[in-house]
Amino acid sequence: MLARGHAMPTDHTHADTGCFDAAAQDAVYRAIFTRRDVRSHFLSDPIEDAQLGRLLMAAHHAPSVGFMQPWNFIVIRDPGRREQVRDLFLAARGQELPHIAEERQALYRKLKLEGISETPLNLVVTCDRSRSRHSPLGRWHNPEMDLYSTVCAVQNFWLAARAEGIGVGWVSILDREALKRLLGIPEHVTPVAYLCVGRVSEFAARPDLERHGWASRLPLADLIMSEVYSGAGEDVLKAAVSTLSGAGSS
């Protein structure tokens, strides 16, 4: 991963058939296992444009079906606009609460689920569903692949941010159509992720929802199937993953 302040590599044209060295492999896995959906511990320190540019460049190099690159990135810095988004969040949270199991509603109310106003900037990652209109490659049978590709861009941004010590929180409790109206997003464009982005004082050792008892990480071995859905087998593989340890991510 790029160290803070380093220039982006400019030559992507040569084939690279080798694996990463041990230190680079460790860095990749560390970013994966210590990534967090950050809701708190945000600092007010600004993020330099050069650093934000590196994170967006990482997002822009995500895989996309048919090389459609359907994403756009709306950077939101204005405090007033972010307060309007937070109002949308509060309204959506109130609508979601009645659908939470009654015995979990008290815990739900206590959870901090956004950092919209605490961060120096917010980022909306959108999917322009018309961008590959004339190229059905990879979408003829699965037209939602443009949305999935955009999610890959979100993940690239998130992992690059973690490598640079930047916290990211995904706010999903928002009315999509209300958000589109507020931000002037055209009908054919879908907002995929609303992200709160900022430096943090710490990255939690465990995901917040796990730490607060909302859910636990499922055992990977229970999720591996052989040949067909629910197919038994792969015992050696299941034993191997059961011995692995590491900090998960939310």
Side-chain angles (χ1 to χ4, degrees):
M1 305 298 283
L2 292 170
R4 189 175 300 166
H6 285 195
M8 297 293 296
T10 57
D11 187 357
H12 304 284
T13 61
H14 291 88
D16 183 352
T17 59
C19 67
F20 292 2
D21 62 30
Q25 289 181 24
D26 286 347
V28 171
Y29 283 111
R30 180 185 174 196
I32 292 170
F33 290 131
T34 65
R35 182 206 59 81
R36 292 289 176 265
D37 192 351
V38 180
R39 320 309 187 126
S40 55
H41 307 299
F42 282 113
L43 304 175
S44 60
D45 303 11
I47 298 175
E48 299 81 4
D49 283 348
Q51 186 173 37
L52 179 59
R54 290 195 296 274
L55 306 185
L56 291 173
M57 185 64 75
H60 187 48
H61 280 74
S64 65
V65 172
F67 204 41
M68 66 182 75
Q69 306 164 77
W71 41 72
N72 286 94
F73 307 97
I74 305 173
V75 180
I76 302 177
R77 304 181 193 268
D78 179 62
R81 182 169 287 108
R82 285 188 282 134
E83 282 297 323
Q84 290 178 299
V85 175
R86 190 167 190 274
D87 288 342
L88 294 182
F89 162 80
L90 292 173
R93 186 173 183 177
Q95 294 166 348
E96 184 174 76
L97 178 61
H99 301 283
I100 302 297
E102 186 174 353
E103 65 273 14
R104 308 191 82 187
Q105 288 187 10
L107 175 57
Y108 178 86
R109 290 188 183 94
K110 294 178 182 178
L111 295 173
K112 181 170 176 55
L113 299 176
E114 53 80 32
I116 295 169
S117 298
E118 290 91 338
T119 54
L121 63 90
N122 295 172
L123 182 74
V124 185
V125 185
T126 67
C127 176
D128 184 340
R129 308 212 67 185
S130 71
R131 189 162 296 168
S132 58
R133 180 184 302 150
H134 303 297
S135 177
L137 175 62
R139 293 187 64 211
W140 182 257
H141 296 94
N142 297 287
E144 68 279 4
M145 294 307 297
D146 54 349
L147 296 169
Y148 299 162
S149 296
T150 304
V151 173
C152 290
V154 175
Q155 181 78 335
N156 269 23
F157 181 91
W158 215 332
L159 293 176
R162 178 62 189 91
E164 296 218 22
I166 301 295
V168 176
W170 187 332
V171 183
S172 60
I173 306 175
L174 289 169
D175 182 302
R176 179 184 296 172
E177 293 305 315
L179 182 66
K180 290 179 70 167
R181 289 192 296 270
L182 177 62
L183 302 182
I185 297 174
E187 180 62 30
H188 65 279
V189 175
T190 298
V192 171
Y194 192 99
L195 307 176
C196 305
V197 183
R199 301 188 191 283
V200 293
S201 59
E202 64 177 272
F203 288 92
R206 291 189 297 156
D208 283 353
L209 293 182
E210 182 179 49
R211 186 161 50 89
H212 290 295
W214 184 265
S216 299
R217 188 172 303 281
L218 299 173
L220 175 56
D222 293 348
L223 309 178
I224 297 173
M225 304 171 186
S226 179
E227 305 297 341
V228 294
Y229 196 88
S230 295
E234 296 293 348
D235 293 340
V236 175
L237 173 60
K238 292 176 182 178
V241 300
S242 294
T243 64
L244 296 175
S245 62
S249 59
S250 66

